[in-house]
Amino acid sequence: WEAVDALLQGKDALVILPTGGGKSLIYQLPAVLKGTGITLVVSPLIALMKDQTDALKALGIAAEFCNSTQDELEQRRVLSHAVTGKIKLLYVSPERALSSDFRALIPRMKLNMIAVDEAHCISQWGHDFRPEYRSLHQLRKASGGNIPVVALTATATERVIKDVVSALELRDYTLVKKSFFRPNLNYRIEYPANDS
């Protein structure tokens, strides 16, 4: 709720929660509560984009994704709906988000928030570094620069946190970092029996 509240107030947020900890809800709830505009969700995972949009559509929430699994006609339809305000959430990959064609559409989309999922990919110190992520700060500038950005990840060292904040140019941000203790997970080491 701390992160949701920050976003609703127009502030940036950096959220570090374990898998299954509700990170998606943090940007989905404000996207639905805001009267107009689109939340742009940058995600590196095509399967996750589909799962998220399917779940949102099942709840009656206008969400779409635009990625390489779609033909050109379908991509044009989705982007047209984004420009005309017919959707609340649009999921794209970092490569798509930074393409010149897509960035040219951003001023016409009336973005109200940018969510960067798997934000650890921004950092060269992260375990999943993708260079395109380091340029995502351009999206806020293309939108006019006055919308909140939320970065979400399940894992980040202090070095990665600093890198994410710097690369995304987060300002006056709320940091939400919860425990990774999961009582339903156990580690057990078993040594093989020596049969020799």
Side-chain angles (χ1 to χ4, degrees), residues 12 45 51 55 59 86 100 116 125 144 153:
D12 293 346
L45 306 169
D51 288 350
L59 295 171
K86 292 180 180 173
S100 57
V116 179
W125 311 110
T153 183

Side-chain angles (χ1 to χ4, degrees), residues 7 10 21 28-29 34 36 41 44 55 63 77-78 92-93 103 105 141 144 146 153-154 158 188 191:
L7 294 170
Q28 290 171 349
L29 185 59
K34 289 179 182 249
T36 60
V41 183
R77 181 195 68 78
V78 168
V92 297
S93 69
R103 279 189 295 157
L105 291 175
K141 290 176 182 170
N146 208 18
T153 183
E158 290 303 316
R188 185 171 62 193
Y191 296 94

Side-chain angles (χ1 to χ4, degrees), residues 4 13 18 28 37 63 65 70 82 87 107 112 115 119 124-125 127 150 168 189:
V4 169
Q28 290 171 349
F65 62 85
Q70 300 160 312
I87 56 177
N112 59 24
Q124 61 185 325
W125 311 110
H127 68 272
V150 57
L168 284 179
I189 299 171

Side-chain angles (χ1 to χ4, degrees), residues 165-185:
V165 168
S166 174
L168 284 179
E169 300 178 4
L170 298 182
R171 49 194 183 207
D172 188 29
Y173 68 95
T174 296
L175 174 63
V176 176
K177 185 176 182 182
K178 300 297 178 189
S179 171
F180 289 84
F181 176 68
R182 304 277 295 273
N184 61 327
L185 297 179

Side-chain angles (χ1 to χ4, degrees), residues 84-163:
T84 56
K86 292 180 180 173
I87 56 177
K88 299 291 288 174
L89 293 108
L90 175 62
Y91 290 76
V92 297
S93 69
E95 295 81 8
R96 170 62 50 110
L98 292 171
S99 71
S100 57
D101 292 346
F102 189 85
R103 279 189 295 157
L105 291 175
I106 288 177
R108 297 170 50 204
M109 282 189 200
K110 298 178 186 160
L111 295 183
N112 59 24
M113 181 179 15
I114 298 170
V116 179
D117 205 5
E118 307 294 338
H120 62 273
C121 294
I122 289 171
S123 178
Q124 61 185 325
W125 311 110
H127 68 272
D128 225 359
F129 177 56
R130 287 175 69 171
E132 298 83 8
Y133 263 77
R134 295 198 64 80
S135 298
L136 291 177
H137 64 278
Q138 295 174 21
L139 299 176
R140 177 161 34 195
K141 290 176 182 170
S143 75
N146 208 18
I147 60 171
V149 173
V150 57
L152 308 109
T153 183
T155 177
T157 63
E158 290 303 316
R159 193 173 197 178
V160 170
I161 290 171
K162 288 178 184 172
D163 217 8

